[in-house]
Amino acid sequence: MANVSAKFHMGNRTKASFDGVVDPDGAEGYVFSGTVKATCMLDRSSTGFKNKVILGHSGRSVGHTDLELYPEGAEENVIPVEGRGRRAKNEKVEFLIGMNTGLSGQMSFGETVYVAPGGPPQKISLFFTKSKFNVSFEGTAWADGPTGYVIQGQLIPASSTTDSYVSEYGTFGYKPSGGSWQYETTKFREPKQILIRGSRKEGADLSVIVGNTTGSCNTYKYGDESSLSLPLEF
């Protein structure tokens, strides 16, 4: 994932912005999601067109795909958006946003911003069992530029009995090299979808682990630690 922020303004009451995230979709694609905020005080009641916002996006060598939005009223419009597009291998994605501020509806745009979505997702497959309990994590991790990372997957804690062990937990731990362990935890028999976005030292690897509360007095026991390298390019 990479953060993206594109802006356009023609005064305090005629402006638009897009803030969101971009992820790789294979070597030659990308996906994005976020929020467009738009305010337009231009009176179009005597024209044959409405106020319009265009969010343009593309790989740098590919023609823009335009997402058209139509803000209403004088107050700020807040519009969730998502989409996908194509790019050349390892190419940055460009975004720009604008409004039809011309008298005849001509478009004006803010500055183009360029974003590197990151390299190929790395598979994470962890499993640990102790006593009657097992815990697993299946997912992926990828680079958010040289100083960020994303982890996405599912933590699944289970037991081999039909009894209810409400005090038992499974956990997924993660840390960038040189960082401190952080954890996502859930009760047994309550699978948890996980999405983590974090920061790291430039180019640092990522360590991951799973465990459960099978130690003395419900302390945690852990499986083997796994290390991931997060390439920046495909």
Side-chain angles (χ1 to χ4, degrees):
M1 173 222 57
N3 294 316
V4 57
S5 181
K7 300 183 184 300
F8 167 80
H9 68 89
M10 196 187 75
N12 290 333
R13 299 297 293 169
T14 301
K15 57 186 178 180
S17 65
F18 168 66
D19 290 285
V21 294
V22 187
D23 289 314
D25 182 21
E28 298 180 346
Y30 62 91
V31 294
F32 70 89
S33 61
T35 302
V36 168
K37 295 182 179 180
T39 303
C40 190
M41 292 289 288
L42 300 175
D43 183 4
R44 302 302 194 186
S45 60
S46 61
T47 69
F49 55 87
K50 297 180 180 180
N51 288 313
K52 179 170 67 175
V53 172
I54 287 181
L55 175 63
H57 59 94
S58 72
R60 297 190 67 178
S61 65
V62 181
H64 275 145
T65 299
D66 290 338
L67 180 62
E68 296 188 1
L69 307 167
Y70 295 90
E72 297 180 353
E75 300 302 318
E76 181 178 68
N77 289 241
V78 180
I79 309 169
V81 296
E82 60 182 23
R84 62 193 329 112
R86 307 303 302 168
R87 60 185 179 129
K89 187 177 180 180
N90 296 322
E91 187 173 48
K92 290 184 177 180
V93 181
E94 59 184 43
F95 288 85
L96 76 166
I97 194 167
M99 305 180 78
N100 61 340
T101 58
L103 293 177
S104 300
Q106 301 95 325
M107 295 297 303
S108 300
F109 290 92
E111 292 186 2
T112 302
V113 296
Y114 302 93
V115 184
Q122 304 298 298
K123 183 177 180 180
I124 303 174
S125 184
L126 301 172
F127 181 83
F128 175 67
T129 185
K130 185 72 174 178
S131 184
K132 303 179 180 67
F133 309 106
N134 61 68
V135 59
S136 63
F137 181 85
E138 295 290 336
T140 54
W142 62 93
D144 172 18
T147 59
Y149 64 89
V150 183
I151 302 171
Q152 187 172 34
Q154 186 176 40
L155 174 63
I156 305 175
S159 82
S160 60
T161 72
T162 58
D163 298 330
S164 177
Y165 293 90
V166 295
S167 62
E168 299 293 345
Y169 294 84
T171 192
F172 169 72
Y174 59 97
K175 70 168 184 175
S177 297
S180 300
W181 284 105
Q182 300 180 69
Y183 298 92
E184 292 282 345
T185 299
T186 188
K187 289 182 179 179
F188 274 88
R189 302 196 187 91
E190 295 185 7
K192 183 176 184 180
Q193 294 291 335
I194 290 174
L195 176 62
I196 298 162
R197 303 184 187 274
S199 59
R200 58 185 176 139
K201 293 181 180 179
E202 185 168 347
D205 291 345
L206 190 66
S207 295
V208 290
I209 200 167
V210 291
N212 57 28
T213 51
T214 51
S216 176
C217 300
N218 268 24
T219 56
Y220 280 96
K221 293 285 188 179
Y222 296 93
D224 294 333
E225 181 181 327
S226 181
S227 181
L228 300 171
S229 177
L230 304 179
L232 295 176
E233 295 185 338
F234 281 81

